[in-house]
Amino acid sequence: MDRRLTLMAVHAHPDDECLSTGGVLARYAAEGVRTVLVTCTNGEQGDGPGGVKPGEPGHDAAEVARLRLAELRASADHLGIEHVELLGYRDSGMAGWSTNDHPDAFANVPLESAAARLSELMARYRPQVVVTYDETGGSGYGHPDHVQAHRVALAATDLSDIPDKLYYTAIPRSAIKNMAATLRESGIEMDFEPGDDFGTPDELVTTVVDVSAHVDRKLKALQAHASQGENIFPLRMPPQAQQQVFSHEAFIRVRSRVRTPAHEDDLFSGLR
Ligand SMILES: [Zn+2]
């Protein structure tokens, strides 16, 4: 293998790089793997300064985008990400918001044009491994921009025919159960009660990567997205619970052109 190992993560908004892939981005960067983050939108529909919610008076989409892209740079520095590529599409907002109807919203962008742009980035960086969300936008999340990121990443993979391996992010149901138990033991109230069907069925998970040595970087990257802090539940967990929850990241291997064990502990298994 004479080309440098390269990992490309395709995400929807500034801050999405942290929770599901912050550990692998930090770990592989530390190992000398080239890491490329593609962020599809500018996150205009996030919280504004002072916690102003989208749709509330004083919420300025352009200002929010500027702030969030600056936070993204800081996050990427903590994770050692070598290249940050911004597609610059407009945040569609959560499913059901009136912003979904904006003609420039990422969810409304023709698949072919966005996929062509991402496919060019794949041709430039030649990642052996690409990570994105599943068809639900990641473990059932359902955000229109996450669903669109999934579609675009899949189409770009087909167009470019470059990645050897394609993965979806996953939150195993067993990990969610363990997290809930840890939080209960620490006396922390959860913001939401995960139902039995929340998360990825464990039998679908092919790959679990130990990123325990990089939990601090992942946390710092998350904290860099301070303007969205209210929406980032794990930031409010006690350190011990964060250490446990963040120590491993799980994935579903969707395609592989190389021989690899059914269950892997390395996204580059079969490529080294
Ligand atoms: Zn997002």
Side-chain angles (χ1 to χ4, degrees), residues 20-36:
S20 55
T21 60
V24 290
L25 287 165
R27 175 181 153 170
Y28 288 117
E31 287 178 5
V33 171
R34 178 164 67 166
T35 51
V36 183

Side-chain angles (χ1 to χ4, degrees), residues 18-20 22-24 175 179 209-223 232-250:
C18 295
L19 277 181
S20 55
V24 290
M179 179 183 80
V209 183
D210 181 349
V211 295
S212 51
H214 306 276
V215 170
D216 287 354
R217 282 165 163 273
K218 185 165 167 172
L219 259 176
K220 284 200 176 101
L222 262 181
Q223 285 159 352
I232 304 176
F233 168 67
L235 281 179
R236 295 193 293 284
M237 298 192 311
Q240 198 189 339
Q242 287 170 334
Q243 191 70 39
Q244 186 207 319
V245 169
F246 289 170
S247 65
H248 291 79
E249 288 176 352

Side-chain angles (χ1 to χ4, degrees), residues 148-163:
Q148 180 78 327
H150 157 81
R151 298 170 66 218
V152 169
L154 225 59
T157 298
D158 286 341
L159 266 177
S160 69
D161 197 31
I162 285 177

Side-chain angles (χ1 to χ4, degrees), residues 15 63 66 69 94 115 122 130 153 156 174 179 200 206 212 214 235 242:
D15 79 8
E63 185 189 20
R66 268 195 306 278
L69 293 176
M94 304 280 272
M122 288 180 180
V130 169
S174 60
M179 179 183 80
T200 311
T206 57
S212 51
H214 306 276
L235 281 179
Q242 287 170 334

Side-chain angles (χ1 to χ4, degrees), residues 11-16 68 133 141 143 145-146:
H11 281 292
H13 307 107
D15 79 8
D16 289 324
R68 295 195 69 185
Y133 316 116
Y141 181 40
H143 191 299
D145 290 331
H146 286 239

